[in-house]
Amino acid sequence: MAFTAFSSSTAAAEPVVRRKSRVALFLLLPGIFYLILFFVTPLISLIITSLQAPDPLIFGQFVNAFNWQNYAIVIETYGEQAVRSAGYAALATFFALLIGFPLAYFIGITLRPYPLLQSLALVLVIAPFFISFLLRTLAWKQIFSTEGPVSGILSSIGILGPGESITGTTFSVVFGLTYNFIPFMTLPIYATLVSLDLRLLEAGNDLYGSPATTFRTVTLPLSAAGVMSGTLLTFIPAAGDYINASREFLGSADTTMIGNVIETNFLVLQNFPAAAALSLLLMGFILVLVAVYVKRSGTEELL
Amino acid sequence: MTNNDVPQGGFAEAGADLELVGITKRFPGFTAIEELDLTIPAGSFFALLGPSGCGKTTTLRLIAGLEEPTAGRILIGGKDVTATKAYQRPVNTVFQSYALFPHMTILENVAFGLKRRGIKNADPLAHEALRLVELDHVAGRKPTQLSGGQQQRVALARAVVNRPALLLLDEPLGALDLKLRRQMQVELKDIQSEVGLTFLHVTHDQEEAMTMADTVAVMNKGRIEQMGAPQELYELPHTAFVAKFLGQSNLFSGDVVSSSSTSMVVDAAGTKIEVPLARAQRHSGHVTVGVRPEKVSLHDSEPKAASGRNVIGPGRVTDVSFSGVSTQYEVTVPQHGAITVFVQNTSISSLHRDGDSVWLSWSVDHAFGLADEAEGEPVSRFHADLDTSMIAVQSRKDLEAELEEA
């Protein structure tokens, strides 16, 4: 368990690793090279692009500059979509946790005496990955479409008014995000719960902890690392997602998220500086959020 | 958040008595406990002794509420608790695996039960319990930073701090080395006499059971074979299992050939063995009788036949093992097989050597007659009883293996 590996004051007992080792450095070289080529280079390129100014001579071209107003402009222009992205991602994370935790608990703990069923359930959680993300989202669009079965039923019982549809609403986008990220939420939580020592729960019960109390004081803290990883793995990609919210899938003009804006700026409007600035802002925002989250949860030692 | 069902505030004034009435526990495919009746008086130190898989851990789990009995009732202090859940019972367990919460400090672990019951000054009480097991200086550490022995003492403190009416101990001294074990045995006895709790101790270590408990119940295959004070059990075992599991015994089988008003004579493969009627469970037919190894004396030549002594011989010494205080001899007598003899080393030189021809004798008063037949080696099936929750599976496998053999 992670706890044993990261207990803070046993450091003295751990073997001292030699600080300088040429072999270690040598072994790290491919990784460092990879990072420089595929992470640092595009990042620098992105930063340069984000500061470019329009070419005064040729329309549609940009020249290197230090045009930091790009940031101010995109914040002003796309503030609404940014807030919506964060909101949608937070909602999707919340719902994914709501569905993913019981699911992980069921597979990791309830099914523990039945290894075969446990493996089967795990496969079922992972199975959607075998089909393309786009296809699955399109399938939901079909199911939710105006001619589809769900809309038909909802219309007939009067929940859905005439002319209203499910797709293109906040509901359908958050639904799509939640659906697509449930495995990302479930698997890390499952990983912590499957190794949870059930005798600890018995001890909790024995020490006057009702099932609810034992869950709150024992199960939940001991699966915190999984919940942490799960929420991060869901929130980060969900905040930047541009498939679910796009008009071709489950979204509409009213549900545009920051990912869609970046996509449009890069590929349609070809306003590269604005797209780059937005990308960097999104990255910065998520970085700060994650840092605060990890710090506040006080579980950095569990990661 | 406190639950109304959880016993709130206050401690048990004294230990409560425990009563099991007709308890049966069946797991899919096998029966762990069959029609078990057991009464443990308040304030006693009771040991449930038996080999792994005999149902003793299941019994403990039933009392703690971690398992539900298939049939029967459990009463604690006269109150029927059969239908209540583990967290509602005035019972605490010292788990064999310690089961300390890894995410909490030692202090939080010990205060856990107190806080669940809404006791106000939980922390000072927890410190006090930690001082009792001499671990208050590690109150701020996490369980993984403690040694196995320390963890076990924390587990004990975590249970004792709640002053339960009944304290269940599941092989709590198993992981300790001999010195710590002795220390803890003394501490446990101290705690018990200080606090007056009722202790139910489950163990497969006969020495531990005999030194600590007021009453020992020997359990085998889901039944209690015999129950009584340790000395009583040792001196007068009723069954072959008890005779073999609690210490060692030399057993002989044969038909009762004559009996007087006070004793009977058994013809065991040609040797006449006399047993007092008062110390025999059965007085006719084919019976098994026995004697403890330390009660047997060795002789260089055939001792004069005397009333009040059983004599067997001649035999050959086949093994001598010296253990300081005493020497253990293995004497092979042709018609009886190997007989074990313990001799106190009161003289300087070893009297008998490997290969010596010797005679054996013991006082008739020390012989005992059993209720059942000696069969095979009852203590041969030993396996690690490490995981209490897996015991069902384990015992099931054993039973299946046994069935296949049969």
Side-chain angles (χ1 to χ4, degrees), chain A residues 6-27:
Chain A
F6 288 95
S7 42
S8 47
S9 45
T10 45
E14 280 164 24
V16 182
V17 179
R18 277 170 57 212
R19 294 278 148 76
K20 286 175 187 168
S21 164
R22 284 188 192 152
V23 179
L25 211 62
F26 179 74
L27 289 172

Side-chain angles (χ1 to χ4, degrees), chain A residues 26-186:
Chain A
F26 179 74
L27 289 172
L28 274 174
L29 270 179
I32 293 170
F33 181 72
Y34 177 91
L35 267 184
I36 289 173
L37 192 67
F38 295 109
F39 179 71
V40 179
T41 318
L43 185 66
I44 291 169
S45 152
L46 205 63
I47 293 170
I48 293 169
T49 312
S50 75
L51 294 169
Q52 280 175 339
D55 192 323
L57 302 174
I58 312 162
F59 178 74
Q61 293 290 305
F62 296 91
V63 290
N64 287 345
F66 190 71
N67 195 13
W68 57 268
Q69 288 98 323
N70 283 345
Y71 286 87
I73 292 166
V74 294
I75 289 174
E76 202 180 321
T77 321
Y78 302 114
E80 189 196 334
Q81 285 85 345
V83 171
R84 185 181 294 139
S85 286
Y88 281 7
L91 277 174
T93 308
F94 173 74
F95 289 120
L97 183 64
L98 219 58
I99 298 165
F101 195 100
L103 191 61
Y105 189 94
F106 177 74
I107 301 172
I109 292 180
T110 315
L111 287 185
R112 207 183 282 183
Y114 318 101
L116 193 72
L117 284 178
Q118 196 176 30
S119 316
L120 196 71
L122 261 186
V123 168
L124 286 179
V125 171
I126 304 166
F129 283 129
F130 298 142
I131 303 163
S132 159
F133 175 62
L134 295 177
L135 284 179
R136 280 182 283 130
T137 314
L138 265 181
W140 277 114
K141 187 190 166 105
Q142 298 254 311
I143 293 167
F144 284 147
S145 66
T146 323
E147 308 82 41
V150 179
S151 294
I153 293 167
L154 290 182
S155 298
S156 67
I157 56 174
I159 290 176
L160 210 63
E164 286 180 332
S165 69
I166 306 172
T167 50
T169 59
T170 299
F171 166 79
S172 67
V173 175
V174 172
F175 179 92
L177 286 171
T178 308
Y179 161 76
N180 278 310
F181 289 106
I182 280 175
F184 293 94
M185 181 64 89
T186 309

Side-chain angles (χ1 to χ4, degrees), chain A residues 1-11 112-113 196-223 301-302, chain B residues 1 3 6-7 61 64 66 86-95 97-104 109 112-114 116-117 141-142 144-145 158-159 162 164 386-389:
Chain A
M1 263 202 278
F3 309 102
T4 39
F6 288 95
S7 42
S8 47
S9 45
T10 45
R112 207 183 282 183
L196 180 72
D197 188 347
L198 297 185
R199 291 173 294 187
L200 295 177
L201 307 187
E202 290 190 338
N205 278 327
D206 185 68
L207 292 163
Y208 314 107
S210 62
T213 314
T214 305
F215 178 80
R216 186 172 51 84
T217 53
V218 182
T219 315
L220 211 53
L222 286 178
S223 55
E301 64 173 28
L302 301 180
Chain B
M1 185 184 81
N3 192 310
V6 176
R61 291 172 59 80
L66 300 171
Y87 64 93
Q88 298 162 332
R89 297 190 186 182
V91 170
N92 286 113
T93 311
V94 180
F95 291 90
S97 60
Y98 329 140
L100 299 179
F101 304 123
H103 58 296
M104 297 182 193
N109 261 287
F112 187 90
L114 297 173
R116 299 288 83 74
R117 289 166 64 195
R141 293 200 202 154
K142 293 279 179 75
T144 46
Q145 295 167 259
R158 188 177 67 171
N162 300 300
L386 295 172
D387 187 342
T388 52
S389 67

